[in-house]
Amino acid sequence: MTDATAAEPTDNQAMEQSRDLSGARDMIACEGVSKWYGDFQALDGITATIKEQEVVVVLGPSGSGKSTWIRCINRLEVHQEGRIVVDDVELTNDLRNIEQVRSEVGMVFQLFNLFPHLKVIDNVSLAPIWVRKKPRAEAEEQAMALLERVGIPEQAHKYPGQLSGGQQQRVAIARALAMEPRIMLFDEPTSALDPEMIKEVLDVMKVLAQSGMTMMVVTHEMGFAKEVADRIIFMEEGQIVEQGTPQHFFENPTEDRTKLFLSQIL
Amino acid sequence: MTAPTTQERVSHRVPLWRDVVVLKWFTQVVLLVVVLGTMGFLASQAGDNLRARNISTSFDFLERPVDIQLSEGIDTHPDTGARALWTGMVNTLRMSIAGIFFATILGVVVGLARLSDNWLVRRLGSMWVETLRNIPLLVQMVFYFSVLTTLPRVGLGTGPINGWLHVSNKGISMPRVFIADGFYQWLVVVLIGAVAARFVRQHRQQIQDETGAMTSPILWGLGTVALFGLVGLFVHPVFSWMGPVFGRIADLLDSLPVIAPQLGFSAIALGVAVTWIRRFLSAHRSARGHLSLSDDDWFRIVFAAVASLAVVFVAVRWTGLSAWTLDSGRDLFQVLADKFDVDGAARPFDAMRPDIIQKGMFPNYGKSGLTMSIGFAAVFFGVVFYTSAFIGENVRGGILAVPKGQSEAAKAVGLGRGQILRHVVLPQAFRVILPPTGNQYLNLLKNTSLAVAVGYSELVQVGSTTYNQTGMTLPVVAIWMLFYLSCSLTISVVVNWFNVRMRLVER
């Protein structure tokens, strides 16, 4: 395993999106995070930090622990060793910490997971009303503004089952944004979509990245990774194999495993 | 090149036996004729046989005195067959309603227990389910009954709380609260309270929606009803003027000629059919005004028209029905007039403490307390425990049917455990749980008839005693079937109504 800090900042200039974030504060800090499912080790000593406003894309073959890792960051999975600190709050068994982290971290899932019994607008305004205790009128106004932002205000009063996959995923993004999170996690947001719908979701994500949101994205969309990411983390067998800027990653990767992976997908 | 060939094919006439439309109509009509014909044949055969063997199917026994003693109920020594059967029906309904209520609560608890994170609770839940659903209900009832008969015998000056609560092998006896003369006036106050509660609830909900503060609108609504009920205890005599009003209506109904209900029935039947057909047609009209009806749709329209004409025909030909409607309407309002015609000081409720009376050698409970016999308890525990095992499985299945991603998504937006259950999991689980649980309610209702084994006087027990004494087997069985059928249909209608309301909207 390479401790990839060496591969970091200096050669950023070539990429358009690249920004100097060296002075920014840490939003997510993982230190030796490990997790087992029975005998199978899903995460093996993950150590990484993610800066404020940074967009990190996590790549890797399936089964490499990408999803498990980002699901640990809002405690949908429980890590067994190591520390995870999100915006200065450490994830422990303390329920209050868990709830505080969850209300600051938005998450978008591969299968959207919209609430099928609620209208689109109620999907978006549910958490602001019950967690943030916002007045319904205000929460719905905010929900409409968010639906406007993801480009589907006209679907507000339909049910999720009446929408296309791409529209559903955009609603899911609006739902996560409604809690005004400081970090957004994306767990393969486009994997369940038809090709022509992938673009509409990625466009929304790009705008979000440009607006300065801290983002962690598990995806197989290499175009998105090249264009939007500040940093790419490559994982295999629960470990971080290599990380660096998109330019470094796609043009001169150092690890053999990375080269093999890139040769298979590009 | 292809166009002419297609044209040719379309214009070619389909022979009748291959025409889907003709076949569909033909089968519908044939089936209808066969069904009606079979029913008519069976009815006329049964009638002939009964006449030939001189078996009476008259319902006269309902009016005649019977000698039945019931274990419990609104009337333990009914003077007519009708009164006896009515008491049995009330006992069946009592058992079913209490049973459905408690079996639902217990079933939800059992279902949640089987999904618990706690190992011991989970095991207890499975033990409960596996034991109770695998032993026949009848055996369970007899078991509970025989356990309860080991309780001490009734004695004067006994019971856990002497004079207030007695427990013995005759059952539990406790103070009884019952409705008294002023009740119906009080009920009017409560109904007004219910209307007021609606507005209060809406108002509180509005405040909650506008400010986000938790205003507990439902609690406020219930509180409003309670407040009206409380105030009503003192002010209810203000509604005594309703007695004469009902009396007037009764007189009016009495003076109406038979033609009035006939016209009324016909108008209602035709009106319903016409509005139904019109609404149906307008619902099927496309935006451009085109009407495309399938054959089934036409069948529905024809059926509605024929059914309404049949109602008109029956109403006109069967004058007895109209006369009966007028009479019973008059009786109903007369009864209401009597109920409201009480002197101002009458209380809405009254209460009595249980008493133990000495009759010969065996002390027994008297009439003044509320006595639940051990027969009641045996049947009650039987149906509640047995049904709770099945409802528990429904609840478990329903909750497991909600995808894991739903609660994960709810967690990810920061909802707490209770909020996830209330806003995300239960609303979706409910639509899975409801239909099979409706079936369990129907089973519970029908299973109460097993009470005949432990001597609880519900409808089947009273009915069989009645036909043993009068020999009127068929009429009693007809009454049984009609009763259970109408109860079951009521439950089905309620469950279906919820079902439709809970349906997910897709596409």
Side-chain angles (χ1 to χ4, degrees):
Chain A
M1 182 184 154
T2 318
D3 202 356
T5 38
E8 261 245 63
T10 47
D11 52 7
N12 274 2
Q13 266 61 16
M15 304 300 281
E16 219 185 327
Q17 239 68 33
S18 297
R19 295 164 289 181
D20 182 19
L21 294 164
S22 51
R25 57 190 279 262
D26 292 351
M27 281 304 268
I28 304 172
C30 296
E31 233 179 82
V33 174
S34 295
K35 178 173 177 62
W36 289 263
Y37 292 110
D39 288 339
F40 175 72
Q41 185 161 16
L43 295 180
D44 183 4
I46 301 272
T47 299
T49 54
I50 287 149
K51 302 276 186 195
E52 190 165 13
Q53 301 208 348
E54 192 176 15
V55 177
V56 172
V57 168
V58 183
L59 297 177
S62 59
S64 58
K66 317 180 290 283
S67 289
T68 309
W69 182 29
I70 79 164
R71 286 162 61 84
C72 280
I73 288 166
N74 65 354
R75 198 77 172 181
L76 289 181
E77 303 285 350
V78 180
H79 61 283
Q80 286 146 342
E81 263 178 24
R83 297 178 64 198
I84 299 178
V85 180
V86 179
D87 200 11
D88 297 335
V89 179
E90 179 169 5
L91 279 170
T92 57
N93 281 331
D94 184 347
L95 194 64
R96 199 199 299 169
N97 283 5
I98 295 174
E99 283 177 356
Q100 194 185 339
V101 166
R102 280 180 182 160
S103 63
E104 279 182 29
V105 178
M107 181 148 187
V108 176
F109 299 85
Q110 180 177 5
L111 296 173
F112 332 134
N113 295 348
L114 293 178
F115 307 132
H117 60 298
L118 297 178
K119 286 183 179 159
V120 164
I121 189 163
D122 298 324
N123 263 280
V124 180
S125 61
L126 183 72
I129 289 173
W130 293 100
V131 181
R132 295 261 191 260
K133 312 285 183 204
K134 275 193 186 174
R136 181 176 291 270
E138 192 188 319
E140 284 183 352
E141 209 172 294
Q142 179 209 14
M144 279 311 293
L146 284 169
L147 289 174
E148 201 102 35
R149 194 163 148 198
V150 298
I152 40 174
E154 72 282 358
Q155 311 288 356
H157 293 282
K158 286 191 184 165
Y159 285 89
Q162 297 169 300
L163 268 52
S164 74
Q167 291 171 332
Q168 290 193 45
Q169 193 60 296
R170 286 188 278 164
V171 174
I173 294 173
R175 178 177 68 180
L177 290 176
M179 287 295 286
E180 290 156 4
R182 312 193 56 185
I183 302 167
M184 285 284 282
L185 307 175
F186 292 84
D187 186 3
E188 306 206 19
T190 56
S191 300
L193 296 176
D194 291 340
E196 71 266 32
M197 291 171 184
I198 291 177
K199 190 176 172 301
E200 64 188 49
V201 172
L202 290 182
D203 286 346
V204 170
M205 288 167 64
K206 274 178 209 160
V207 175
L208 198 59
Q210 282 153 12
S211 75
M213 176 70 76
T214 310
M215 286 166 62
M216 209 172 147
V217 185
V218 171
T219 188
H220 297 291
E221 293 299 322
M222 295 304 147
F224 178 82
K226 267 185 200 159
E227 191 182 339
V228 183
D230 292 311
R231 178 156 52 120
I232 287 174
I233 295 179
F234 178 69
M235 284 181 74
E236 190 182 37
E237 290 178 352
Q239 298 178 333
I240 295 179
V241 176
E242 181 162 10
Q243 54 180 318
T245 61
Q247 192 191 31
H248 159 83
F249 184 81
F250 286 106
E251 283 160 25
N252 26 27
T254 49
E255 298 292 319
D256 290 343
R257 185 62 189 88
T258 316
K259 288 174 190 158
L260 179 66
F261 177 75
L262 288 172
S263 71
Q264 279 164 345
I265 55 161
L266 291 178
Chain B
M1 245 187 93
T2 47
T5 12
T6 325
Q7 198 62 45
E8 214 167 285
R9 247 188 222 159
V10 168
S11 61
H12 187 72
R13 270 197 76 84
V14 187
L16 282 184
W17 60 90
R18 269 188 3 224
D19 188 333
V20 188
V21 178
V22 175
L23 285 177
K24 212 165 178 179
W25 274 93
F26 181 73
T27 45
Q28 301 252 43
V29 170
V30 167
L31 192 63
L32 192 66
V33 169
V34 168
V35 167
L36 289 179
T38 314
M39 276 163 57
F41 173 75
L42 288 178
S44 74
Q45 278 293 310
D48 291 350
N49 291 345
L50 289 172
R51 257 191 301 281
R53 298 185 52 198
N54 227 349
I55 298 173
S56 167
T57 53
S58 128
F59 286 86
D60 292 345
F61 73 97
L62 289 176
E63 311 279 323
R64 284 205 291 269
V66 284
D67 180 26
I68 298 178
Q69 203 203 329
L70 304 184
S71 68
E72 60 208 294
I74 50 173
D75 191 351
T76 48
H77 292 86
D79 44 9
T80 61
R83 183 76 179 156
L85 288 176
W86 172 239
T87 311
M89 288 179 193
V90 172
N91 280 347
T92 297
L93 287 177
R94 241 179 220 184
M95 180 64 74
S96 306
I97 293 168
I100 285 175
F101 183 74
F102 287 102
T104 307
I105 293 174
L106 194 57
V108 171
V109 171
V110 170
L112 292 177
R114 290 205 66 182
L115 293 171
S116 165
D117 292 335
N118 184 321
W119 183 85
L120 187 64
V121 172
R122 207 164 57 228
R123 286 292 127 193
L124 284 175
S126 343
M127 260 170 62
W128 178 269
V129 169
E130 293 305 339
T131 314
L132 288 168
R133 73 172 175 187
N134 287 314
I135 297 175
L137 178 54
L138 188 60
V139 174
Q140 290 186 37
M141 283 184 188
V142 174
F143 172 70
Y144 302 136
F145 188 76
S146 48
V147 168
L148 290 168
T149 48
T150 61
L151 286 169
R153 296 199 310 192
V154 192
L156 292 169
T158 59
I161 309 171
N162 182 28
W164 290 90
L165 181 68
H166 299 268
V167 179
S168 73
N169 63 358
K170 294 273 193 225
I172 292 180
S173 198
M174 56 189 130
R176 179 162 70 107
V177 177
F178 55 95
I179 59 178
D181 290 343
F183 177 77
Y184 295 90
Q185 299 173 356
W186 177 80
L187 198 61
V188 176
V189 183
V190 172
L191 286 177
I192 294 172
V195 175
R198 229 183 106 84
F199 287 109
V200 170
R201 195 183 73 94
Q202 276 172 359
H203 180 66
R204 299 297 299 180
Q205 183 72 51
Q206 205 182 346
I207 292 178
Q208 176 164 344
D209 290 350
E210 277 165 14
T211 65
M214 292 294 131
T215 54
S216 33
I218 292 178
L219 275 180
W220 271 72
L222 292 175
T224 311
V225 177
L227 187 68
F228 270 79
L230 207 64
V231 174
L233 290 178
F234 304 101
V235 305
H236 68 271
V238 296
F239 286 108
S240 53
W241 55 266
M242 293 180 79
V245 174
F246 286 128
R248 287 280 174 73
I249 297 175
D251 293 344
L252 177 71
L253 284 176
D254 203 25
S255 64
L256 279 181
V258 172
I259 186 91
Q262 283 180 327
L263 284 177
F265 285 141
S266 308
I268 290 170
L270 292 175
V272 167
V274 168
T275 43
W276 187 83
I277 291 174
R278 280 180 62 182
R279 217 169 41 197
F280 188 79
L281 288 181
S282 69
H284 282 69
R285 205 177 287 279
S286 71
R288 280 156 68 202
H290 286 306
L291 196 57
S292 65
L293 291 179
S294 72
D295 299 312
D296 277 354
D297 294 339
W298 280 110
F299 191 76
R300 286 189 192 108
I301 291 172
V302 171
F303 187 81
V306 170
S308 68
L309 289 177
V311 171
V312 173
F313 180 76
V314 170
V316 171
R317 288 296 299 271
W318 190 9
T319 47
L321 181 70
S322 298
W324 178 84
T325 315
L326 277 182
D327 285 353
S328 28
R330 182 200 60 206
D331 290 350
L332 177 70
F333 280 99
Q334 200 64 61
V335 167
L336 280 176
D338 291 345
K339 295 282 186 200
F340 277 90
D341 188 21
V342 291
D343 83 83
R347 282 183 293 178
F349 294 99
D350 229 327
M352 285 195 283
R353 288 198 292 161
D355 64 341
I356 296 175
I357 49 174
Q358 188 101 28
K359 246 193 210 161
M361 289 179 62
F362 305 105
N364 215 335
Y365 291 120
K367 276 186 181 172
S368 53
L370 176 66
T371 306
M372 269 185 290
S373 67
I374 56 170
F376 180 94
V379 181
F380 177 76
F381 291 137
V383 292
V384 167
F385 291 171
Y386 185 74
T387 313
S388 76
F390 290 94
I391 294 182
E393 287 297 88
N394 293 343
V395 170
R396 187 171 73 104
I399 290 175
L400 287 180
V402 178
K404 213 173 152 223
Q406 290 290 309
S407 45
E408 280 181 354
K411 276 183 201 165
V413 286
L415 293 170
R417 275 171 78 125
Q419 290 172 331
I420 293 174
L421 211 58
R422 177 173 159 205
H423 296 293
V424 177
V425 175
L426 284 185
Q428 294 183 63
F430 192 63
R431 82 202 139 88
V432 183
I433 296 171
L434 191 65
T437 301
N439 289 341
Q440 291 307 325
Y441 291 163
L442 295 177
N443 281 342
L444 190 149
L445 168 77
K446 291 176 282 182
N447 283 340
T448 56
S449 60
L450 291 173
V452 72
V454 290
Y456 172 66
S457 303
E458 46 69 63
L459 181 60
V460 172
Q461 200 239 6
V462 177
S464 47
T465 318
T466 311
Y467 70 62
N468 279 336
Q469 283 186 14
T470 59
M472 296 294 167
T473 317
L474 275 181
V476 169
V477 173
I479 290 174
W480 282 348
M481 296 202 297
L482 206 64
F483 174 77
Y484 283 109
L485 193 63
S486 36
C487 290
S488 299
L489 287 177
T490 311
I491 293 176
S492 296
V493 166
V494 172
V495 169
N496 280 339
W497 181 77
F498 269 110
N499 237 348
V500 171
R501 274 191 47 149
M502 300 294 297
R503 203 163 43 194
L504 284 186
V505 179
E506 272 168 13
R507 299 273 133 206

